[in-house]
Amino acid sequence: MKRRSLISIPAATLASGLADVTAARAAAGFENPAVIGDNLPVFYERLRDELDFPLSWPNSRERDFRTWKRRARAQVEELLWQPEDRSPFHVEVIDEQPGNGFRRRQLAFDVTRHSRVRATMLVPEGPGPFPAALLLHDHGARFDIGKEKVIEPWYDDVRLASARGWADKYFSGRFIGDQLAARGYAVLAVDALGWGDRGGLAYEGQQALASNLFNLGSSVAGLMAREDVRAAAMLAGLPEVDGRRVAAVGFSMGGFRAWQVAALSDHIAATVSACWMTGLKEMMVPGNNTLRGQSAFYMLHPGLFRHLDIPDVASIAAPRAMFVLDGELDPLFTAAGRDAAYTKMGLIWKAQHARERLRTQVWPGLGHVFVDRMQDAAFTWLDRWLHPTA
């Protein structure tokens, strides 16, 4: 067999040839590079423009709002990749201590058929039943504390130190659960998977956790959503709680969780969501925090945005009371995204003759925080709908 000789090509000639190939590919419509900054595909704008949210109200073929709500909720639940769980809660009080006008309680319950968790609860003194708040902690890339971010921990000095630092940074040194308990609410906080008692997760492991759950036929975002629905049902069923007056309250990822559980659970009568609302298209822009992956998996239901926009999901809760508030200078969300979401939600509540039940507010000069004046406004608004002194 005749052997072919190897041909040596000068570097300059090779570079010139590659440039010609690149130019030819560009002229022929081939894009290079295929992945640009923020790990976006070069065609991301075309994908984004194709999203028309056909299940949005009133774009949907459904003209009856209640029928639309059932259909929209069913679509969201299908994409959670986490089946509905009706297993017993088996609630057990494992510790109770006196507080300042309320009792501090640790309890255990089966948040799903697979997981038994420890939760913290504050119960006002008195006969009850009380209005209640399900407190949904943020993400913050801080996993050693979860429920401790919202209810001051009396049971662990190390977590107490961490939690006080967190409260100083985001909440004007307050614990929002303790604030609500002092106003007459029973409050409950539970760790999401990866935080606090359910820890063991590091920032870099989030994407692997999400991947592993997908491979197991599940979803980290779907699991968190189902667990929040279960926690709401458990809270509403406690003897100290008036099950008709249960709120969902959260900041940042907790704000996302708050309007999400309101959309998926009939136990939620009112919602306070701080610093997590946007339109999807306005969020998917270069430089946005969501594009980093990792933490985003806790708020990602694959395929959902082929059907519904983010404010559409929150609006499944309409016409129940909801207060959505954001800081003007919040770097995680664009002003355009916030405004688009507020406008859409306002139209939906107005269509249900319930515009007064939706409040949206932007706080000038504030960033990604839920500080004292924001809390005071939110909790005063919550009192209006849940009447803690009634």
Side-chain angles (χ1 to χ4, degrees):
M1 177 181 294
K2 185 176 181 181
R3 299 179 62 185
R4 294 184 179 180
S5 61
L6 296 177
I7 301 174
S8 177
I9 302 175
T13 302
L14 181 60
S16 176
L18 290 174
D20 291 342
V21 170
T22 299
R25 283 172 56 83
F30 293 103
E31 287 122 347
N32 187 41
V35 178
I36 59 175
D38 290 310
N39 295 310
L40 283 166
V42 71
F43 47 84
Y44 82 94
E45 291 173 303
R46 277 172 263 169
L47 288 176
R48 187 181 62 191
D49 292 344
E50 288 177 357
L51 298 175
D52 57 0
F53 312 117
L55 195 48
S56 293
W57 177 269
N59 298 341
S60 168
R61 66 173 183 265
E62 306 292 354
R63 289 295 174 262
D64 175 72
F65 190 73
R66 290 186 179 182
T67 304
W68 173 80
K69 284 182 63 165
R70 287 194 296 270
R71 185 173 174 223
R73 180 187 283 186
Q75 183 64 77
V76 176
E77 290 185 337
E78 178 183 340
L79 295 172
L80 299 182
W81 298 109
Q82 185 71 24
E84 188 174 5
D85 193 327
R86 296 181 180 274
S87 57
F89 296 113
H90 297 127
V91 180
E92 176 189 6
V93 176
I94 56 179
D95 175 59
E96 186 165 295
Q97 303 291 333
N100 185 18
F102 48 80
R103 289 165 281 158
R104 294 186 171 108
R105 178 181 296 175
Q106 294 186 76
L107 53 85
F109 74 102
D110 294 346
V111 70
T112 66
R113 65 195 182 281
H114 297 134
S115 297
R116 187 165 180 81
V117 298
R118 184 170 66 112
T120 54
M121 187 173 182
L122 305 178
V123 182
E125 297 290 352
F130 303 100
L134 175 64
L135 304 181
L136 301 152
H137 68 75
D138 59 69
H139 188 294
R142 180 69 177 272
F143 299 98
D144 62 316
I145 49 175
K147 59 187 178 299
E148 293 82 11
K149 294 177 178 180
V150 289
I151 293 179
E152 185 172 19
W154 64 94
Y155 44 83
D156 188 318
D157 289 341
V158 174
R159 291 188 189 182
L160 176 59
S162 293
R164 283 178 174 167
W166 201 257
D168 289 341
K169 184 175 182 179
Y170 292 106
F171 306 137
S172 297
R174 294 173 166 183
F175 287 89
I176 62 175
D178 297 65
Q179 294 290 314
L180 284 165
R183 299 176 80 107
Y185 293 86
V187 297
L188 176 76
V190 186
D191 293 317
L193 182 65
W195 279 267
D197 294 331
R198 307 175 74 194
L201 186 63
Y203 186 87
E204 295 75 13
Q206 295 174 93
Q207 199 153 306
L209 175 64
S211 174
N212 290 335
L213 280 167
F214 285 145
N215 282 329
L216 293 167
S218 187
S219 156
V220 66
L223 176 63
M224 186 172 71
R226 283 291 190 209
E227 289 187 348
D228 289 345
V229 169
R230 288 271 295 174
M234 190 279 290
L235 177 60
L238 292 176
E240 301 92 338
V241 169
D242 182 345
R244 301 165 300 173
R245 296 188 290 162
V246 176
V249 179
F251 159 72
S252 192
M253 182 184 78
F256 170 96
R257 296 168 68 191
W259 54 252
Q260 179 175 257
V261 73
L264 297 176
S265 171
D266 293 329
H267 292 292
I268 302 300
T271 304
V272 172
S273 171
C275 296
W276 213 111
M277 180 49 66
T278 181
L280 182 280
K281 291 185 177 183
E282 295 82 7
M283 182 176 70
M284 295 300 295
V285 293
N288 188 272
N289 186 65
T290 300
L291 306 185
R292 298 166 62 187
Q294 296 291 5
S295 305
F297 279 91
Y298 274 95
M299 293 152 280
L300 174 61
H301 304 296
L304 177 59
F305 300 128
R306 285 289 179 186
H307 306 277
L308 294 158
D309 198 358
I310 292 167
D312 296 322
V313 178
S315 297
I316 296 172
R320 286 171 282 155
M322 184 175 292
F323 187 4
V324 181
L325 60 157
D326 292 275
E328 177 192 24
L329 305 180
D330 191 331
L332 301 186
F333 304 101
T334 65
R338 178 189 66 222
D339 294 344
Y342 284 8
T343 298
K344 178 174 280 192
M345 294 172 72
L347 292 172
I348 292 174
W349 260 263
K350 182 178 180 181
Q352 301 313 305
H353 310 288
R355 187 61 183 84
E356 76 284 358
R357 289 177 171 266
L358 175 70
R359 180 175 174 182
T360 56
Q361 185 172 357
V362 178
W363 291 79
L366 295 180
H368 194 70
V369 293
F370 188 32
V371 293
D372 48 8
R373 58 189 182 275
M374 300 168 83
Q375 296 170 38
D376 292 343
F379 300 159
T380 298
W381 176 90
L382 199 61
D383 292 347
R384 173 187 175 191
W385 299 105
L386 299 187
H387 311 294
T389 58

